[in-house]
Amino acid sequence: MPITRRKLLGLMSSSTFFLTVSPGATLAAQLPAGSVPLDFPQGVASGDPQPDGIMLWTRAVPRTDSDEAVNLLVQLSRDADFSTPLLQAHLSANPQSDYTVRSYIDGLAPNTQYYYRFVSGSAGQDESVSRVGRTRTAPAPDHTGKVNLAFASCQSYEQAFYGSWARMLEDDNAAAEDERIHFVLHLGDFIYERCWKERPGGGPNSRTVPPFPNGVDTPENRYAVSLADYRHLYKTYLSDPHLQEARANWPFICTWDDHEFANDNYQSYTSYDGPGVLDAQRKTDANQAWFEYIPAVLDELQEQPAHGFQRQPQGRDEAARNQAALDSLRIYRKLNWGKTLDIVLTDNRSYRSAPCLPAGFAESLGMPMNSVELVAIADAGSAYANGQPPATLPYGDGTVANPARDRAPGSLLGTEQREWFLDTVTNSVAAWKLWANALPLMPMRLDLSSLPMTGYEDSIFSIDGWAGYPYEQGLLMQAFEKAKVTGVVSLSGDHHMHGAGSVAYSTTDTNARPVAVDFTVAGISSTPIFEDLLAVARNDHPDFAPVVYRQTDDGVEPVWNISMLDGVLAAYTYAETGISVLTDWLGPNTANPGLRYVDTTVNGYGLATVEADKISVQLVAMQDCRREFVKPPAIAHIAHFSLPRWQAGESPQLQGPEFEGGAPFPFEPETV
Ligand SMILES: [Fe+2]
């Protein structure tokens, strides 16, 4: 891997160290006399494996109140008992980075497991040693073997315990060596800036984030507003033993979604209540905390757009302040696992255009949600209909002035990132291009026009995700189609549900050919989306109850799954009759073409085995994660999928689901 100019400086910032493993060279490093003992309350972690390097991380805190920098050693070994150390080097931690330390170590062998730990104090007395971390480098560029990975998202600390991480750990420790997970891909919402005081349907959370150092407190929730608050969240989340164990056990590769900064944010703007509000200082603070607590390889690689945290001079006007916050950290990047796969991580928040329609727009027109047509016109802006956008937007029996007529088309990635992304994917020579994409490509559309006599139009559940940016999704998929790119698989989170389906080159033509596949993973612990919908249907929109749930003697059935898979007419009919065979007669659903699977009531995670000729994916659904546990909770069921590699000119043929241990409503279990 080429070294950067920065690397030659040896030390990039006060919290990042570059170290190289070479025979015997750095084994002699010792702690300076008087080094104080340290605690490592957030454990250890590693991130972004390279064929010859890895980023190691810890937080090393003095045991007595102090604002002095402290000394520590990092040790690296091939053996868990450190009997044959490869490196021992001196680091320091300081309060400016909240005592977090990043240490990029290269000179390593590819596809190799290593152990690491951090040491301070004086040998014999006051010695302090961190827990031992295990990590693994990426394979060499010519590697053709299989790669095992886990993917995860949405891990609210409060809404459930981390049974998903505990289950993943226990099963992986019991697995055969060649089945074990090589790394974890985290698709965002690692923390939640907002702490709701109750569950969606009422009742207490599983646990509570301690009070923020600053924070804002409203009747419904509390949220982070300062650097100290965001650091507080990472420290609280990483105090959990299972998340800490997961980070010590596997290297993590992380991108973010909205909650690492603020709910449904765009650029440096927050939008809790209606219009976006510039919150540039807070975005900068959120970026700094992410950089301090999430080990990622950013400046360390050449030809990489990513860079580490750099606080920028404050801008004079709104645009400059917004830009300065965005420029403080750039996380989109690519990692490689030989000829088998590239992982392309995007930042789906920092460069996106504002929502194409203002909050409350549909409601102001008396519509339940934005229609597919309204969003298509508003998002394409001045480019709609080959540059002939209508002066008015249609709704119901009326029209309203088109607010986006003169606006540039919407973009979720921003022009610069989009060009990088397309270049990276289309030029990739790996068999598979895994897109670490925080937001699902599969839309959650409701074909409400199929409900007779209502006057409803086909609608989009939320315009915060790709469904609100159909113009750019179309551009990307058409580019893949045109360049005959194969092997593009999006791994996404955010929706708090499992899902799988193929993605067509057109977002409007329901007969368009699929060109990619999307797997959406349920939250590790965040409230499953069905519970949010259930609360809304019960409390605010009883008219929508039949497309959301059906009350039975045994409880509640998630009819929403039928709405997504077979359409709202099928869902409505099932809710009224309880006869499932009718859903087959009334499908298929043209609102969500390509969608093969949804499971909206569970927490869980994804596992993938990537080989040159196929990807096998398991979407793992957990039993109840809300109760504190000693023994990790059991798996409820697993949906298995297989995706053979397709050739240029062919379409992906997603196979599955096949079920293990049961199946979610309305699927019938089969045996794998
Ligand atoms: Fe989330």
Side-chain angles (χ1 to χ4, degrees), residues 153-156 188-192 257-259 493-496 523 526:
S153 75
C154 298
Q155 55 185 27
S156 164
D189 292 350
F190 193 98
I191 57 163
Y192 278 72
D257 191 25
D258 55 337
H259 291 289
D494 179 56
H495 280 181
H496 302 185
S526 300

Side-chain angles (χ1 to χ4, degrees), residues 131-451:
R131 68 182 300 156
V132 173
R134 191 181 68 164
T135 193
R136 186 186 181 98
T137 49
D142 61 352
H143 179 83
T144 55
K146 75 170 182 175
V147 179
N148 305 323
L149 65 112
F151 55 108
S153 75
C154 298
Q155 55 185 27
S156 164
Y157 178 84
E158 300 192 310
Q159 290 168 0
F161 290 92
Y162 290 154
S164 301
W165 288 123
R167 171 52 50 206
M168 203 190 298
L169 284 157
E170 185 166 293
D171 290 352
D172 196 55
N173 284 330
E177 183 60 34
D178 81 325
E179 302 295 323
R180 293 180 82 168
I181 295 164
H182 297 160
F183 60 89
V184 173
L185 193 57
H186 201 294
L187 299 161
D189 292 350
F190 193 98
I191 57 163
Y192 278 72
E193 97 292 358
R194 186 155 55 154
C195 305
W196 286 266
K197 292 178 179 173
E198 281 197 335
R199 294 191 184 283
N205 286 310
S206 293
R207 51 185 174 173
T208 304
V209 170
F212 286 110
N214 306 109
V216 162
D217 203 342
T218 76
E220 293 81 32
N221 56 60
R222 303 174 287 142
Y223 53 89
V225 292
S226 68
L227 176 59
D229 291 343
Y230 286 102
R231 286 171 167 174
H232 174 71
L233 283 168
Y234 284 104
K235 281 182 272 203
T236 302
Y237 277 55
L238 291 170
S239 68
D240 179 278
H242 305 292
L243 177 56
Q244 201 177 110
E245 177 91 17
R247 295 230 301 182
N249 201 55
W250 305 293
F252 271 49
I253 300 167
C254 301
T255 186
W256 60 41
D257 191 25
D258 55 337
H259 291 289
E260 280 85 349
F261 168 34
N263 184 56
D264 287 1
N265 69 72
Y266 63 95
Q267 301 170 34
S268 309
Y269 290 80
T270 58
S271 52
Y272 286 115
D273 302 302
V277 175
L278 181 69
D279 224 341
Q281 180 62 47
R282 194 169 157 215
K283 169 72 170 168
T284 308
D285 291 339
N287 281 359
Q288 180 172 341
W290 188 94
F291 176 71
E292 289 172 344
Y293 281 86
I294 303 291
V297 175
L298 302 172
D299 297 75
E300 293 77 8
L301 293 185
Q302 235 176 10
E303 296 161 6
Q304 180 89 309
H307 72 72
F309 182 75
Q310 301 162 7
R311 193 170 283 272
Q312 306 288 324
Q314 273 283 355
R316 285 193 187 170
D317 57 18
E318 180 168 330
R321 287 201 299 280
N322 175 43
Q323 194 61 47
L326 304 184
D327 288 345
S328 66
L329 180 65
R330 186 181 286 184
I331 67 164
Y332 58 88
R333 61 200 191 277
K334 184 192 92 164
L335 294 100
N336 171 255
W337 266 256
K339 291 183 175 168
T340 307
L341 77 141
D342 279 336
I343 294 182
V344 188
L345 297 104
T346 55
D347 172 354
N348 289 1
R349 292 287 163 187
S350 298
Y351 315 106
R352 61 161 64 189
S353 48
C356 64
L357 292 167
F361 187 76
E363 291 80 359
S364 73
L365 301 179
M367 300 161 67
M369 54 194 98
N370 290 306
S371 72
V372 172
E373 187 180 16
L374 274 185
V375 172
I377 297 171
D379 174 54
S382 59
Y384 189 76
N386 297 317
Q388 303 292 319
T392 58
L393 298 177
Y395 75 96
D397 295 331
T399 57
V400 62
N402 177 1
R405 195 179 176 194
D406 300 318
R407 205 185 80 150
S411 172
L412 193 135
L413 298 178
T415 309
E416 199 176 329
Q417 182 179 208
R418 183 174 72 226
E419 283 171 10
W420 168 83
F421 176 73
L422 282 173
D423 272 0
T424 304
V425 174
T426 53
N427 292 324
S428 167
V429 293
W432 297 96
K433 298 90 184 168
L434 290 196
W435 177 8
N437 175 19
L439 300 165
L441 294 172
M442 303 301 315
M444 276 201 283
R445 291 193 196 135
L446 288 166
D447 54 338
L448 294 173
S449 68
S450 65
L451 291 178

Side-chain angles (χ1 to χ4, degrees), residues 596-620:
R596 288 184 74 96
Y597 183 63
V598 295
D599 184 2
T600 58
T601 64
V602 294
N603 291 123
Y605 52 89
L607 300 170
T609 298
V610 187
E611 298 168 90
D613 60 349
K614 73 167 183 191
I615 294 186
S616 307
V617 169
Q618 301 178 44
L619 295 176
V620 179

Side-chain angles (χ1 to χ4, degrees), residues 526-597:
S526 300
T527 301
I529 189 170
F530 177 69
E531 286 185 47
D532 289 309
L533 294 164
L534 186 62
V536 170
R538 278 180 166 159
N539 302 332
D540 306 322
H541 282 286
D543 46 332
F544 276 93
V547 300
V548 175
Y549 73 99
R550 179 168 184 266
Q551 190 73 48
T552 70
D553 293 343
D554 299 330
V556 161
E557 286 178 333
V559 171
W560 179 262
N561 292 0
I562 300 178
S563 293
M564 292 293 99
L565 291 161
D566 301 306
V568 296
L569 185 59
Y572 191 91
T573 306
Y574 177 79
E576 294 298 312
T577 65
I579 302 171
S580 56
V581 71
L582 292 176
T583 63
D584 297 333
W585 298 350
L586 292 165
N589 182 9
T590 53
N592 296 313
L595 183 65
R596 288 184 74 96
Y597 183 63

Side-chain angles (χ1 to χ4, degrees), residues 33-68:
S35 293
V36 299
L38 304 172
D39 286 326
F40 302 91
Q42 281 74 35
V44 301
S46 66
D48 285 14
Q50 308 294 318
D52 66 344
I54 191 82
M55 182 67 79
L56 303 183
W57 178 95
T58 193
R59 180 166 179 265
V61 191
R63 287 181 183 164
T64 51
D65 238 4
S66 163
D67 55 3
E68 302 282 312

